[in-house]
Amino acid sequence: MFKKILIANRGEIACRVIKTARRMGIQTVAVYSDADAQAPFVKMADEAVHIGPSPAAESYLLADKIIAACKATGAEAVHPGYGFLSERTSFAEALAKENIAFIGPPPGAIAAMGDKIESKKLAKAAGVNVVPGYVGVIEDTEHAVTISNEIGYPVMMKASAGGGGKGMRLAWSETDVREGFEATRREGLNSFGDDRVFIEKFIENPRHIEIQILGDKHGTILYLNERECSIQRRHQKVVEEAPSPFVSPEMRKAMGEQCVALARAVDYHSAGTVELIVSGADPTGQSFYFLEMNTRLQVEHPVTEAITGIDLVEQMIRVAYGEKLEMTQDDVKIEGWAIENRVYAEDPYRGFLPSTGRLIRYNPPVDGWSDDGSANGRRGIDGIRVDDGVYEGGQVSMFYDPMIAKLVTWGETRDEAADKQIAALDAFEIEGLGHNIDFVSAIMQHERFRSGELTTGFIAEEYPEGFHGAPASAELKVKLVAVAGFIAAARSDRARRVDGQLAMPLDPPGEWTVTLDKEAYTVVVEEDTILVNDVEVDMELEYTPGDRFIDADIDGEPITMKLGVTRTGFTMTTRGAIHKLDCLPTRVAQYARHMIEKIPPDLSKFLICPMPGLLVSLNVGEGDKVEAGQPLAVIEAMKMENILRAEKSGTVKALNAKAGDSLAVDAIILELE
């Protein structure tokens, strides 16, 4: 076995690989940029090599620096993780020339699957279902129109070298093709240096299902069942689960055997994933089609590990060393259900804008996953697993992907796994930047998610006006109100015990008026009883002033909530939303209607930076007239550019920033008059 391997990646996946390598008795080498100098993966590895400045293009994407680090440390092999150099043929070839093993597939397979047009041709030749379409060279717009008419609308136009949702346009008519074909070509050229476009039938009610492949260098290739990845935002996965609620055993077998045939056609070994688009409108389950093959480990691999008990990273290392797989297809089982939510540094309450900054508090619901080598251990602690690469006090950088952690839960059933997600998300503490915990919790509770009726349009269809928090049921509101009344009484009781007060200590108020969502509730707190609107609530909880989290059992159901104190009450974050409760003694509450409402200031004359980021360009100068909707500036954060537009017409009065500036959230870029 290898004595030392280098991980050409960062963050949670670097930590993930290091943990398994350590269990296998293999020493590890980390490489890191300036931004990651204090990162957990750097400290976790046996050795660490600095490879450059923070931008990935100057560090993690430089193959020569990775190879130099291997030579300097004596690393015999490289695990690329995902992203960065993981699917770059030239990197695998360069390692081979230096006699350094690549813990991944052969360069030929990477090259064959990296081109969307060529991979579709290979898939078709291997007997894999492909979406009806045209995979040859499309000469011009008229040619595109002819092809689209032959396929039948709707069609999808895609840049051949595209990825991450770029270079894709949906056409419902000939007019759409005429308007969008050239734009698709330009996007492909500008983003990927390749203007080739292919056109295929658009699958209605599409589900995104993928098959995990694992092969060795001795001719054995297995499929490790499927993952459902239909819940996506802007073509980026948000929730993944295994198995899929849509896939039958017959469908699984047909999919798996076709994907194995494709892998065999390119002499594949190591872990890989074949992505399929499946028509949810076809109840027979026969309408599944090849989309692409990812020749690397997937972000969502832990859900497959949880249901099969197979450590994919360990198998990748063993395959790279030349060992045979010790399992057969019959050994691959499905035990229970696993769901993964990606916890991102993005603010769903502000249009999912990227959020960077310091993690003032970071407390996951359980300790970070540790590899004990057991199948059950791959499911985490009591079915809850956290894969992360951050730490409290650390920075979430603008230079890399916004992922903070992966939360994986396992249960005997799908509902159990989803319920564990909700409970774990309630107990997940992150402060200092925006995050999507409430959003993914809302998805876990959503009736449509629970039914399993998923498509890739789920988020756009269910949250067309954006996310404003999960709706609270009447039962949940009563629980929140009861907790608020109890805590208010406890805080009042503590306040009355302060020494040196002028009068004799007064009894704390026993009757409170709690307002939630503009509805007032009367809460009576007695020694052994809590009443909400004269109905007794059975509640058990412990509270000490200063507690940030409350664990309660209310009417026989456990609930965890994050507590914040406001001037007139509390905020309680639980079950996918931030709930604001005003809490006043009933004798005082009657006067609240006389309070003057504070009107927020008009900020429409300012262009305000919505997130921490780099001001890439400023499109106007002082004295320029602008119209509502006009692009004024471009902010780059988390590898994405965001266009800021004028909210109203006006004239630029003053500029407060210039191109190249690093801006904080809510920084004023310019002022209009």
Side-chain angles (χ1 to χ4, degrees):
M1 180 48 65
F2 300 120
K3 292 182 173 59
K4 184 184 291 187
I5 65 172
L6 181 145
I7 297 93
N9 217 298
R10 60 175 301 281
E12 64 87 14
I13 188 57
C15 294
R16 163 74 184 90
V17 176
I18 290 170
K19 289 173 182 177
T20 290
R22 178 183 293 166
R23 176 177 58 77
M24 296 175 69
I26 302 170
Q27 290 190 313
T28 55
V29 179
V31 292
Y32 66 94
S33 69
D34 289 346
D36 285 332
Q38 302 300 317
F41 76 93
V42 176
K43 298 178 181 180
M44 189 181 296
D46 297 298
E47 299 175 65
V49 178
H50 177 253
I51 55 170
S54 300
E58 300 174 41
S59 51
Y60 295 108
L61 287 171
L62 295 180
D64 57 341
K65 289 194 174 184
I66 305 295
I67 292 172
C70 288
K71 292 180 177 179
T73 58
E76 305 160 80
V78 171
H79 196 300
Y82 44 72
F84 294 141
L85 298 171
S86 62
E87 293 181 283
R88 188 166 295 184
T89 307
S90 59
F91 179 55
E93 291 172 340
L95 288 173
K97 288 180 181 178
E98 299 294 340
N99 204 28
I100 300 169
F102 180 66
I103 303 176
I110 299 174
M113 292 294 105
D115 185 301
K116 283 185 170 58
I117 290 177
E118 293 304 316
S119 65
K120 285 186 181 296
K121 291 179 179 178
L122 277 167
K124 193 171 184 178
V128 180
N129 297 347
V130 297
V131 179
Y134 186 84
V135 295
V137 176
I138 300 175
E139 299 168 0
D140 53 28
T141 299
E142 291 303 322
H143 191 193
V145 167
T146 301
I147 291 167
S148 300
N149 289 337
E150 291 174 353
I151 295 171
Y153 296 98
V155 299
M156 180 69 81
M157 297 179 288
K158 295 183 181 181
S160 177
K166 295 180 181 178
M168 299 173 64
R169 270 182 171 74
L170 179 59
W172 293 91
S173 65
E174 181 177 319
T175 301
D176 292 342
V177 176
R178 292 188 182 279
E179 291 177 352
F181 178 73
E182 288 299 329
T184 305
R185 290 184 68 172
R186 286 193 299 271
E187 284 185 12
L189 184 62
N190 294 337
S191 298
F192 310 104
D194 187 340
D195 69 351
R196 291 177 302 158
V197 173
F198 67 94
I199 298 177
E200 64 185 15
K201 180 73 174 176
F202 177 69
I203 306 302
E204 298 186 69
N205 297 330
R207 301 180 78 116
H208 184 123
I209 295 173
E210 57 190 32
I211 299 291
Q212 176 68 57
I213 292 295
L214 180 64
D216 62 23
K217 297 179 180 179
H218 305 277
T220 299
I221 303 177
L222 312 175
Y223 62 91
L224 308 186
N225 306 314
E226 81 284 350
R227 296 183 288 258
E228 172 92 50
C229 306
S230 295
I231 297 184
Q232 305 176 4
R233 193 180 68 81
R234 296 178 183 172
H235 305 289
Q236 297 289 330
K237 299 169 188 173
V238 177
V239 181
E240 299 102 347
E241 60 181 305
S244 164
F246 183 73
V247 174
S248 66
E250 296 78 18
M251 189 176 176
R252 180 177 299 118
K253 185 174 186 292
M255 284 178 165
E257 289 177 350
Q258 286 195 19
C259 294
V260 166
L262 174 62
R264 200 173 297 284
V266 293
D267 296 323
Y268 201 89
H269 62 252
S270 193
T273 295
V274 181
E275 300 198 350
L276 305 168
I277 188 166
V278 181
S279 174
D282 182 1
T284 68
Q286 295 177 2
S287 300
F288 62 87
Y289 308 98
F290 172 77
L291 194 61
E292 64 181 351
M293 185 174 189
N294 292 315
T295 54
R296 54 169 168 78
L297 191 67
Q298 293 279 88
V299 175
E300 57 271 22
H301 74 273
V303 294
T304 295
E305 294 183 329
I307 66 164
T308 63
I310 297 168
D311 186 324
L312 286 169
V313 172
E314 176 183 351
Q315 295 304 319
M316 291 180 75
I317 294 171
R318 293 191 180 281
V319 166
Y321 189 69
E323 294 185 8
K324 293 183 178 181
L325 292 176
E326 295 184 352
M327 68 198 83
T328 67
Q329 190 64 59
D330 290 339
D331 296 325
V332 180
K333 307 297 183 183
I334 297 178
E335 295 184 6
W337 213 287
I339 299 174
E340 174 180 299
N341 275 306
R342 302 188 187 191
V343 179
Y344 280 137
E346 61 183 16
D347 191 344
Y349 294 103
R350 302 181 67 183
F352 296 93
L353 289 171
S355 182
T356 60
R358 188 172 300 281
L359 284 165
I360 295 172
R361 295 190 191 278
Y362 177 74
N363 291 303
V366 297
D367 291 338
W369 178 74
S370 58
D371 187 357
D372 66 2
S374 71
N376 194 55
R378 292 182 189 110
R379 297 168 183 164
I381 300 170
D382 296 327
I384 301 173
R385 169 176 167 175
V386 175
D387 283 21
D388 60 17
V390 300
Y391 64 99
E392 188 168 281
Q395 288 275 357
V396 175
S397 169
M398 63 182 282
F399 296 103
Y400 312 118
D401 185 88
M403 185 185 293
I404 298 173
K406 300 186 306 196
L407 177 65
V408 183
T409 56
W410 178 89
E412 294 286 351
T413 65
R414 186 171 185 265
D415 280 343
E416 183 185 344
D419 288 342
K420 285 185 178 181
Q421 279 284 343
I422 295 165
L425 289 163
D426 281 347
F428 210 134
E429 184 179 24
I430 297 176
E431 287 186 12
L433 41 73
H435 55 77
N436 69 335
I437 285 176
D438 285 354
F439 179 61
V440 291
S441 177
I443 292 174
M444 295 294 99
Q445 301 170 65
H446 200 289
E447 183 180 345
R448 181 174 163 191
F449 173 80
R450 290 295 187 138
S451 73
E453 296 297 321
L454 311 179
T455 71
T456 55
F458 178 93
I459 290 176
E461 292 161 6
E462 299 301 327
Y463 302 97
E465 304 300 323
F467 179 72
H468 306 290
S473 66
E475 293 79 11
L476 177 59
K477 289 182 179 181
V478 169
K479 293 178 182 180
L480 297 175
V481 166
V483 172
F486 175 84
I487 293 176
R491 290 171 61 86
S492 180
D493 183 58
R494 182 173 183 268
R496 78 185 179 92
R497 299 174 187 274
V498 176
D499 288 341
Q501 298 187 66
L502 293 177
M504 294 292 291
L506 301 174
D507 290 335
E511 185 173 323
W512 297 82
T513 296
V514 180
T515 304
L516 172 59
D517 292 341
K518 299 182 179 180
E519 183 178 357
Y521 299 77
T522 300
V523 182
V524 177
V525 182
E526 299 175 347
E527 186 173 350
D528 297 315
T529 307
I530 293 179
L531 302 174
V532 176
N533 292 346
D534 296 325
V535 177
E536 185 174 349
V537 177
D538 182 13
M539 183 170 72
E540 294 181 13
L541 68 83
E542 292 184 6
Y543 170 72
T544 301
D547 286 351
R548 299 193 305 273
F549 275 82
I550 302 295
D551 290 311
D553 191 289
I554 305 175
D555 292 333
E557 294 185 4
I559 185 171
T560 299
M561 58 191 72
K562 183 180 179 183
L563 181 69
V565 179
T566 66
R567 187 173 60 85
T568 57
F570 311 101
T571 60
M572 295 181 180
T573 305
T574 189
R575 296 299 191 265
I578 302 170
H579 307 277
K580 297 179 180 179
L581 300 95
D582 287 328
C583 198
L584 297 170
T586 297
R587 60 182 173 78
V588 174
Q590 60 183 312
Y591 302 109
R593 67 181 183 274
H594 299 296
M595 299 299 290
I596 299 173
E597 183 179 357
K598 184 177 180 181
I599 300 173
D602 179 14
L603 300 177
S604 63
K605 66 178 181 178
F606 298 108
L607 181 66
I608 298 174
C609 187
M611 76 210 85
L614 178 70
L615 181 57
V616 176
S617 64
L618 192 57
N619 303 334
V620 293
E622 288 187 19
D624 289 355
K625 291 184 178 182
V626 301
E627 299 296 330
Q630 179 179 333
L632 301 181
V634 177
I635 299 290
E636 181 185 289
M638 299 291 190
K639 303 187 292 184
M640 294 184 65
E641 292 189 354
N642 301 271
I643 300 173
L644 306 186
R645 301 177 185 275
E647 290 187 17
K648 64 179 184 180
S649 301
T651 302
V652 179
K653 178 181 178 182
L655 299 177
N656 294 67
K658 64 182 184 300
D661 286 354
S662 291
L663 303 179
V665 64
D666 294 333
I668 295 175
I669 300 173
L670 59 82
E671 181 179 355
L672 299 174
E673 60 179 0

